Amino acid sequence: MAHKAAKENRTKLLLDEKDIPRRWYNIQADLKTPAPAVLHPGTGKPIGPQDLAPLFPMALIQQEVSRERWIAIPDEIRDVYRLWRPSPLYRARRLERVLDTPARIYYKYEGVSPAGSHKPNTAVAQAYYNRKERVARIATETGAGQWGSALAMACNFFGLQCKVYMVKVSYQQKPYRRVMMETWGAQVVPSPSPDTQAGKKVLQQDPDSPGSLGIAISEAVEDAATRDDTKYSLGSVLNHVLMHQTVIGLEAKKQLEKADDEADMVIGCAGGGSNFAGLSFPFAADKLAGRKKNLRIIAVEPSACPSLTKGKYVYDFGDTVGLTPLVKMHTLGHSFVPPPLHAGGLRYHGMAPLVSKLYDEGVIEAVAVPQVATFQAALQFARTEGIIPAPESAHAIRVVIDEALRCKAEDKKQTILFNLSGHGHFDLGAYDAFLTGRLQDYEYPAQKIDAALRGLPKVRG
Amino acid sequence: MAHKAAKENRTKLLLDEKDIPRRWYNIQADLKTPAPAVLHPGTGKPIGPQDLAPLFPMALIQQEVSRERWIAIPDEIRDVYRLWRPSPLYRARRLERVLDTPARIYYKYEGVSPAGSHKPNTAVAQAYYNRKERVARIATETGAGQWGSALAMACNFFGLQCKVYMVKVSYQQKPYRRVMMETWGAQVVPSPSPDTQAGKKVLQQDPDSPGSLGIAISEAVEDAATRDDTKYSLGSVLNHVLMHQTVIGLEAKKQLEKADDEADMVIGCAGGGSNFAGLSFPFAADKLAGRKKNLRIIAVEPSACPSLTKGKYVYDFGDTVGLTPLVKMHTLGHSFVPPPLHAGGLRYHGMAPLVSKLYDEGVIEAVAVPQVATFQAALQFARTEGIIPAPESAHAIRVVIDEALRCKAEDKKQTILFNLSGHGHFDLGAYDAFLTGRLQDYEYPAQKIDAALRGLPKVRG
């Protein structure tokens, strides 16, 4: 029965709707030591549920700190998941052939969601719990627009209003992402906006400010904190967000079983950490339990924004301005502004606390890759497998190809699984830059990172 | 066992890869009378295979005139189909609920192909047969870019060079579609181009010409006719193109069987006719054979370019300039230039000869719908089902919603099946125009059509 899929020459491994997971996997149940507490930015003491209540519904706050291994997925959420889940698991036969590798390469494709990425897996859950606690409206920020469009769609399904503060430079440069959000009924404003005190303050100092994710977060948080009918929503980093994404890895495990195969390597790109965690945590569970000691789990980040490979594992703010609670994570310093990489979803100074902890404990590895080599991998993938990957996902592909070539050099028949977290339909400007030789690599911004690390908050972790 | 899917609350009906059809359905085998001959534009006499040999490989010329009911799909083509086929059949439960209709609505979703539409179903087949006959290079034209990107991808898979003459105004306004083609390795030039005599001639008269599909066809045909290593490829209208698309309807029939359901209505938008034919011809077979007499098959066209509902069923040129053979079809006159509808794929003066013949014989119906009402339907669909439809596909959705509301008024539990031929990720500019109230309806261009019909070639049909 070994490698049945190989024998049958199957390209896609599909599951039925009844196989959509009924429970999310919460890795906090399996950590050797509990995750470090989240601290109040003023007092430096651990915060409680009530401190977060103005921003999040209680169900999500409870999920954030829960140590239950499995959390049931409500039927109303699974009903929306059915629109695109279970997502297909592909065997990358054409890529394997071109690389002439003995490795077997599989990818989980999350670009099949209507928003085009994995983000709706948590957006739908967050909209549902907000609706259940009678929240009427959600405020959020978005950079390039992946998260904003996922939340716009989810809010639309549950009858919630949605306001998106979109970084002004993206608002101007990526009008299609804005229109996508508006098509699903969201209100989108360029940030900094005159709609908040935070936005007004920035506009007074610089009317032409291009905005930043940090400013947009400040606006969305202020919006939620100052309106009774409104909560705030975040698309990555937090524990409950990562947990919602574990449907990816839970499905992938079933699909690999159907193929009578087992992963030797699990690879994902990592910005805030949610797509990486979504695929890898259900596999990490086996490693943590001692069932799969040799499994390699690899997070891939841009070499110009390398929070895992070059950052410190310390307490820091989640936002740029310094308004959020303090979390212990791998960080380049909250004041570090990454260079204008095309993989907008990987331009974040920190890394999800749970991903950071697993890295610190040696459960997972991390690799940083430069931009041009990443697009070379993206092109090779598009020309063999057809799908044009998002620049974020292409970071994972770079390492997949490198590992497959290593397998060739070492004549090893290993199985590589990675997350193709989204398609690149709204990123073709970046492909154009690459194809015309205008794409560049950024040097490791050592001085800027050193300066940002000197500005870390002084807290004992 | 009736309506098992309804009981199980299934949203998607999936098939396994082994269920990808092994044969295309050729409706020419089941026509009451043979399709009218194609005529030489100079002599007015029927043309033979050798007349077409400079433009097409012999296998496709044979398929064009074949009266075999089933034509085997080579394994090499099915192997590429596996990348996205079988495509899912969705039950539009959320749309049904919002319409409060007793009708059951299903849609076949072809936007899952890497190029985002049904076009690769024939592009892959055409690239394969060209490659098999040792053609090194294919030339084609594209308007908005759906066809060009499908052929670029297909040529890339089979190691063929691909040159796309892209209507200049689209080349400038839709750079992402161009980049998509280049990502798959195609050479794309704005048409009119200095690369052909036809292009040079236009540029001499008007250096700023925005181009047209007619000019681009002339350039691609000239390119193929004047180079030994090159053939020409067309994305719709021709018999073999329609036949390749029947994989859509063949799969949909199996999927409806799995749902224990049967279509009362089959609906598709129709520009050149290929996505409409692809879904509907396998169902039309049952009607032609007397097995399903009450089945309604409806082609939907824009009211500003209504070749079926307002055109004449006569011999006309396939292109605007008048270089192609003459085919008998419903036409508005080859010199008719449709208004700048956002559904670029429906801006064609004629209709596929096979679709025209079935309409003439009363096997199928046709309905014309205006642009604004079409986008209203598109928005309702996006907000209930999630997927943002291509403007072309939205024409079908308009009629689906109208028919579902009729079912409600008449309290009839009918089953409606339609083809969601592609997604609208590259058409969000049109959605923006609609959402901001800038979208307009075009009046029926009666005078322009009358003038074009007076210019029809004088041939006895």
Side-chain angles (χ1 to χ4, degrees), chain B residues 3 19 30 40-41 149 219 223 243 245 265 299 352 355 438 445:
Chain B
H3 308 307
D19 297 319
D30 292 322
H40 192 284
S149 39
E219 289 206 271
D223 182 320
M243 186 189 73
Q245 295 292 356
M265 276 172 272
V355 174
R438 287 180 289 114

Side-chain angles (χ1 to χ4, degrees), chain B residues 304-317:
Chain B
C305 188
S307 58
L308 285 173
T309 53
K310 301 275 191 177
K312 285 191 181 172
Y313 185 46
V314 292
Y315 271 96
D316 197 5
F317 295 106

Side-chain angles (χ1 to χ4, degrees), chain A residues 217-293:
Chain A
I217 293 177
S218 303
E219 289 206 271
V221 168
E222 179 189 322
D223 182 319
T226 55
R227 283 184 60 156
D228 279 348
D229 64 346
T230 301
K231 300 278 184 201
Y232 171 69
S233 176
L234 194 66
S236 190
V237 179
L238 300 178
N239 302 346
H240 68 272
V241 178
L242 272 55
M243 185 187 74
H244 297 155
Q245 294 292 355
T246 58
V247 290
I248 302 171
L250 293 167
E251 287 177 7
K253 282 182 97 167
K254 266 198 191 169
Q255 287 162 314
L256 276 182
E257 274 169 32
K258 271 184 87 171
D260 258 325
D261 212 336
E262 225 175 319
D264 297 301
M265 275 172 273
V266 176
I267 299 175
C269 66
S274 78
N275 99 75
F276 169 74
L279 177 67
S280 69
F281 279 9
F283 292 88
D286 293 339
K287 197 170 177 180
L288 288 166
R291 283 190 297 271
K292 188 77 176 131
K293 288 182 186 169

Side-chain angles (χ1 to χ4, degrees), chain A residues 12 17 82-83 85, chain B residues 12 17 82-83 85 90:
Chain A
K12 297 183 299 299
E17 279 174 32
R82 284 167 201 264
L83 291 174
R85 304 212 72 83
Chain B
K12 297 184 296 299
E17 279 174 31
R82 283 166 202 265
L83 291 174
R85 304 213 71 84
Y90 278 86

